[in-house]
Amino acid sequence: MAEQNWELSKKDILQVADLTRKELTALIQDAIIMKQQTKAGIPHPHLQGKTLGMIFEKSSTRTRVSFEVGMTQLGGHALFLSSKDIQLGRGESIADTAKVLSRYVDGLMIRTFGHEMIEEFAENASVPIINGLTNEHHPMQVLADLMTIYEKKGKLQGLTVAYVGDGNNNMPHSLMEGAAIMGMNMRIASPKGYEPLEAVFQDAKSKAEKLGATVHFTYDPIEAVKEADIVVTDVWTSMGMEAEETERLTAFLPYQVNTALTHYAKEDFIFLHCLPTHRGEEVTAEIIDGNHSVVFDEAENRLHAQKAVLKKLMGNR
């Protein structure tokens, strides 16, 4: 698989929908190449001398480590910026912060709560902005998910992805966008009151239909999982929602991914979870630690998928 000479159509990646089918495919291919190079000990210092600023309002394991290690492997440097430690946390405006940091770094990765914050950064920064996670979107995780599915299944188009859990969250939103762009069938099952954002759902549904695929919502987890190639879930109580934990545990109990539910999936289904997980809540140990689970390959692929993004967004600056 040879590296391709191509450019991204946008300066920033704030959600999966910012990418075209061609761009998503090329990023996955670049990520696989750099993964192979890493395994073989072949250096790929595409960003020598470049610096990525990383602003964190939410705590992180995989996002912070994968971006820092990725920048090191690309020959550059990653700078950790807690929102509590910079002037942003003391009232400096997002616009001023974006303009100042643009004078220092070659790109910014932001992991925060509301999506509107990252959009304001993108409007005011002159360097590329990467969404490391917001409440509404998680594009870097889904890029790694698509890479993992491609590695395990050998294709994307025509496969069926079932997401079971909180539909009004970043993972189902970004998965819908990615699946639709790549011509995959997407099914989401959630309890009442936890449906996906209507705008994201309708946009994904429209894109999928143009490629002969479907995006479908249901309240029935069995309907979602039936004959699925990929089964995905996420924690029932995300960061910032701790006050709702008791209510959520009750609402989502019928949506646990367990042996009884995955019995309806295809025999060779794979299980994905962005981690961290609460074993015994959204998924049982026998599933996440079983033969169908690829969650640690998925976690590793965050590193390589993000390197592909960093290379493209920052490589020509």
Side-chain angles (χ1 to χ4, degrees), residues 120-297:
E120 190 171 350
F121 256 100
E123 288 173 8
N124 290 280
S126 58
V127 297
I129 302 296
I130 300 169
N131 181 0
L133 177 143
T134 62
N135 290 342
E136 292 81 11
H137 295 280
H138 201 353
M140 296 301 103
Q141 179 63 55
V142 167
L143 181 58
D145 290 357
L146 294 174
M147 175 185 174
T148 306
I149 295 167
Y150 181 80
E151 286 180 326
K152 301 301 179 182
K153 295 294 186 180
K155 65 175 184 176
L156 293 173
Q157 186 165 359
L159 295 177
T160 297
V161 184
Y163 176 90
V164 180
D166 186 357
N168 189 13
N169 207 351
N170 48 37
M171 278 306 300
H173 291 157
S174 289
L175 267 173
M176 271 191 287
E177 292 180 339
I181 292 168
M182 300 309 295
M184 305 169 75
N185 301 305
M186 178 82 193
R187 303 185 196 139
I188 309 100
S190 304
K192 289 186 178 180
Y194 298 93
E195 298 87 351
L197 289 173
E198 187 66 18
V200 177
F201 178 79
Q202 292 299 335
D203 183 62
K205 185 177 180 181
S206 175
K207 287 178 179 176
E209 288 173 352
K210 291 176 182 177
L211 294 172
T214 59
V215 174
H216 176 68
F217 176 82
T218 177
Y219 295 110
D220 182 357
I222 293 175
E223 181 185 352
V225 168
K226 194 170 184 180
E227 292 299 304
D229 299 284
I230 305 103
V231 178
V232 189
T233 191
D234 195 1
V235 293
W236 290 342
T237 307
S238 298
M239 283 180 282
M241 300 176 181
E242 290 78 7
E244 306 171 19
E245 184 171 9
T246 301
E247 177 185 344
R248 283 173 169 269
L249 287 175
T250 302
F252 287 109
L253 189 57
Y255 294 81
Q256 182 186 72
V257 177
N258 51 36
T259 300
L261 181 62
T262 56
H263 170 76
Y264 294 94
K266 285 187 178 177
E267 189 174 340
D268 62 346
F269 82 92
I270 59 174
F271 172 75
L272 278 75
H273 190 305
C274 64
L275 303 178
T277 183
H278 296 156
R279 285 172 174 80
E281 289 186 13
E282 74 273 8
V283 60
T284 58
E286 60 192 352
I287 296 298
I288 196 168
D289 298 320
N291 294 332
H292 293 278
S293 176
V294 295
V295 298
F296 296 109
D297 292 325

Side-chain angles (χ1 to χ4, degrees), residues 1-8 19-38 44 46 74 142-151 154-157 182 301 303-309 311-312:
M1 187 181 293
E3 291 190 65
Q4 302 179 49
N5 185 19
W6 60 282
E7 299 299 330
L8 286 168
L19 297 165
T20 66
R21 181 184 177 90
K22 181 179 179 181
E23 290 169 342
L24 262 177
T25 301
L27 284 171
I28 291 169
Q29 291 174 343
D30 279 358
I32 291 171
I33 290 169
M34 284 190 277
K35 181 176 182 178
Q36 293 169 344
Q37 291 172 334
T38 301
H44 38 281
H46 301 290
L74 290 168
V142 167
L143 181 58
D145 290 357
L146 294 174
M147 175 185 174
T148 306
I149 295 167
Y150 181 80
E151 286 180 326
K155 65 175 184 176
L156 293 173
Q157 186 165 359
M182 300 309 295
N301 283 341
L303 170 64
H304 308 294
Q306 288 164 188
K307 283 193 295 184
V309 169
K311 173 188 168 187
K312 275 300 161 190

